[in-house]
Structure formats: structure tokens, C-alpha cells
Amino acid sequence: QSALTQPASVSGSPGQSITISCTGSNSNIGAYPLVSWYQKHPGEAPKLILFEGSRRPSGVSDRFSGSKSGNTASLTISGLQTDDEADYYCCSYAGSSAFLIFGGGTKLIVL
Amino acid sequence: QVHLVESGGGAVQPGGSLRLSCSASGFSFSNYAMHWVRLSPGRGLEWLSVIWHDSTNEYYADSVRGRFTISRDNSKNTLYLQMNSLRVDDTAMYYCAKADAAAGTVTIEYWGQGTVVTVSS
């Protein structure tokens, strides 16, 4: 299976909201409610921010939310903060053969 | 506090082999599935493999199936990735990661800091 499709970059100003899309297919996002999102700052390990589409791990701000429509999952970050500037990756279960596939990543720029 | 420390990375020629290790602490290692994921500049994150807590199941990405082997030693709290027939496009940062359950799970909960593998002639 091919990688999930994400925009290369999105930008927003502090306080604004942005949405990052993640488009897959009927073999992954469209078939399973098992999308997770990861935040990665330069030089740091990735961090889980959403799992099973819209669930937040303990300690993750409620400014991060997730949704899904058909073959596309979305991550919305409200009340943008400068520390939100990072790379964001979606990941979906893709069945027992491919198991997990990631998106290409989206660089969030906070202006 | 979950702590994952990868080691074993380095430079290797195409066709060569490397064995990565991941030392785990801060949680009950034998109760969780574990993953390997890599990050390369041109390709972003790529999931490679997962092994259930008791080694009863392993899954691999197509790109590494038949060349890489995941394993674990629960008595040593250590995860391994044996990488054979390495190619230039295997060059990446390799991450060890903890799942959120013992088996039948797809969520990667915690990640290590990674170890760099460079495949070049």
C-alpha cells in the first residue's frame, strides 16, 4: 500500500486553528477506525497526540482533536501556539498484510 | 517513566548486515508489543515491524520483509532488529517504540530517541 497523503506544509498564526488532512483508501483509513497522529519536533522523538481517530492520551492538550470522513482523517489544532510548530504524521492500520502505514508528514509553521 | 534506548546503528556497505538493539525500562516490557519505525529525510516515517509481547506474532512492511527480522528477549527487556541485505535506501534514523497493549494493537505509544543507520559504499 502507498503512504497516506498529507499536505507538505500548513501555516497559521498564534491563536488560530488549522486542520491537517490525511487521505488514504478503502484499505486503510476507510476500513478501520484506527488512525493515530504523531507530533515530531526537530531532534526529538515523535510523540503520540491522538489515537483511534480522536482519542487523546493523558497529558495531551484538548486543543488537539481528530475526525474522519470516508478515506480521509483530519487533525485540528485550535488556539495555535508557537510550540505547536513541528512535523505531524498520521498513521493508519492497513490490515494484517501491510499492518501500519504512515503519511508523508506535514510541517506546521506558526507565523 | 518509559525509557527506550536504541543502539547498534552505524555505517555499513550495501549488502551488509546490522543488528539493532533497544533497551527498555520504566514499564513491564514483557506485557507490551513493540515496534520498529524509521525516519528518512525523503520518505518521512515508515513503519517496519511489530512483535507481540510473547513473540507469538510478527508483522513486517513489504519493504523489509525477508530482509529484516524482529525479535525480543523479555528476560533482558530488550528488542532487536536484525537487518540483512542492506540497501542504500535503508539509510535512516531507526526508532524503537512501545505499543499500548500486549497484542492486537496498532497504537504506538512511546518512542525512543533513535539510532542512525547509514548504508553507503
Side-chain angles (χ1 to χ4, degrees), chain A residues 20-98:
Chain A
I20 298 173
S21 62
C22 171
T23 301
S25 70
N26 293 332
S27 300
N28 40 70
I29 293 176
Y32 308 99
L34 297 171
V35 174
S36 52
W37 289 88
Y38 300 88
Q39 176 192 61
K40 189 181 180 313
H41 288 106
E44 297 184 8
K47 175 187 175 184
L48 176 66
I49 55 173
L50 292 173
F51 65 103
E52 293 176 6
S54 59
R55 298 179 63 185
R56 283 186 303 275
S58 174
V60 172
S61 171
D62 60 4
R63 297 185 301 105
F64 295 91
S65 62
S67 63
K68 189 184 92 162
S69 177
N71 296 336
T72 298
S74 298
L75 165 68
T76 297
I77 308 174
S78 60
L80 271 179
Q81 301 177 357
T82 54
D83 189 52
D84 296 333
E85 185 163 293
D87 294 328
Y88 291 84
Y89 293 89
C90 60
C91 178
S92 174
Y93 180 63
S96 60
S97 178

